[in-house]
Amino acid sequence: MTQTVGFTELLTATDTDLVRLFYRIKSDPRDDFIIRINRVAEQLGLNHTQLICALGFNRHIRDLSDIHSVLGFKSYKLLMYRNNELFRTDTYRQLSIDNVIDIYAEHLEDEDIFAALRQLLKPRLDNIQARIADSDDPQLTICYRMEVHTIYTAGLADTAFAESRLAEPISRFRELASEVKVVADSGLLPPSNMFFMDSLSPGEKVSLIEQCGISRAMIENRLKNARISADERDQLENYI
């Protein structure tokens, strides 16, 4: 019997709601845990990844060992291993962008979940970027842009995260997400600091000039650097 449950409903359910919901769930302990998860997910109208991530990121699931058992896990720790693996490797195939945004919105409720999410951000984004590089699907780019913005606006990103992203040779992906503008708006790094980073592309420098108040004096100062690329020099000279 299917009892459809929304992803967000399961993600935000109280411990009482979870117990009441899973009381009616059928699970065969002889089955492999993957099969058990799939069958439980089917009963709830979710897919495998949605079920595990909605529960894994629900702050009330930690002590509900009976539910862990229904899914084939001997402990909360094993459930979280599976949760982290699925969240890290999913590229909007099983979790929609709405699911992901809901997960990020819930992180403030639990310090452990907050810490876990922060550790998953880089490998998750790396996987999504790899898929974008092999795809021409505009919807994928839209989802990526929304996710990057949410990471900053939800407070998951800190200065170290922003600095790491800006130092990586991923200007193509930062530009897809208008990330330098998002970083500036978040207050994590001043636009002036970013403007003088060698790792930013000429296009990102132009974005900072046009959207973040980079002054003529800063541009002139940057142009004094003999090591900047010809492309960057050409772009910056347009603003003198």
Side-chain angles (χ1 to χ4, degrees):
M1 178 180 178
T2 300
Q3 46 178 333
T4 303
V5 176
F7 177 86
T8 306
E9 181 183 353
L10 191 59
L11 175 70
T12 59
T14 66
D15 50 359
T16 301
D17 290 337
L18 289 171
V19 170
R20 184 184 300 116
L21 177 65
F22 275 82
Y23 177 75
R24 298 176 179 274
I25 293 296
K26 304 298 183 183
S27 175
D28 189 337
R30 296 170 297 180
D31 287 337
D32 173 86
F33 83 100
I34 296 293
I35 295 174
R36 292 169 74 171
I37 293 168
N38 288 341
R39 288 180 174 169
V40 171
E42 184 178 1
Q43 291 176 63
L44 295 175
L46 300 170
N47 65 47
H48 181 117
T49 301
Q50 286 177 318
L51 172 62
I52 293 301
C53 289
L55 287 176
F57 289 118
N58 183 310
R59 61 195 174 105
H60 298 293
I61 195 65
R62 188 175 288 109
D63 298 320
L64 299 180
S65 57
D66 286 349
I67 296 178
H68 308 161
S69 297
V70 168
L71 298 172
F73 297 108
K74 294 181 179 179
S75 67
Y76 171 72
K77 185 176 182 179
L78 292 175
L79 167 61
M80 290 309 294
Y81 279 151
R82 183 64 176 163
N83 174 79
N84 293 349
E85 175 190 17
L86 292 173
F87 186 73
R88 183 177 64 248
T89 57
D90 182 73
T91 56
Y92 313 119
R93 297 182 190 276
Q94 301 299 318
L95 292 174
S96 70
I97 184 59
D98 289 337
N99 294 160
V100 174
I101 289 173
D102 284 343
I103 289 169
Y104 290 151
E106 279 297 297
H107 80 274
L108 292 174
E109 300 294 331
D110 187 283
E111 291 183 3
D112 290 337
I113 291 176
F114 178 85
L117 276 172
R118 275 192 161 174
Q119 292 182 352
L120 294 170
L121 292 180
K122 177 175 169 43
R124 175 175 168 80
L125 292 177
D126 286 347
N127 281 317
I128 295 169
Q129 288 159 194
R131 185 182 169 202
I132 291 174
D134 293 333
S135 171
D136 58 0
D137 182 359
Q139 187 61 37
L140 183 59
T141 299
I142 292 170
C143 291
Y144 174 76
R145 180 185 178 91
M146 291 174 65
E147 178 163 357
V148 171
H149 282 223
T150 303
I151 287 169
Y152 285 96
T153 58
L156 275 163
D158 57 8
T159 300
F161 175 84
E163 289 178 337
S164 175
R165 289 277 298 174
L166 296 179
E168 288 188 72
I170 54 169
S171 60
R172 171 191 173 186
F173 301 108
R174 292 195 302 264
E175 290 187 66
L176 285 177
S178 302
E179 192 163 354
V180 292
K181 177 67 162 56
V182 178
V183 173
D185 289 345
S186 71
L188 291 174
L189 291 170
S192 56
N193 287 22
M194 291 188 281
F195 183 70
F196 287 95
M197 290 181 175
D198 293 333
S199 55
L200 266 60
S201 70
E204 290 175 297
K205 300 292 178 71
V206 168
S207 294
L208 287 169
I209 293 170
E210 294 183 347
Q211 301 179 54
C212 299
I214 297 299
S215 68
R216 180 188 179 100
M218 291 180 191
I219 299 171
E220 291 174 341
N221 193 2
R222 177 65 179 171
L223 285 169
K224 292 177 182 178
N225 186 338
R227 296 177 300 172
I228 66 174
S229 69
D231 188 13
E232 180 177 345
R233 186 172 298 279
D234 288 344
Q235 296 268 19
L236 297 187
E237 285 177 346
N238 291 327
Y239 294 89
I240 297 300

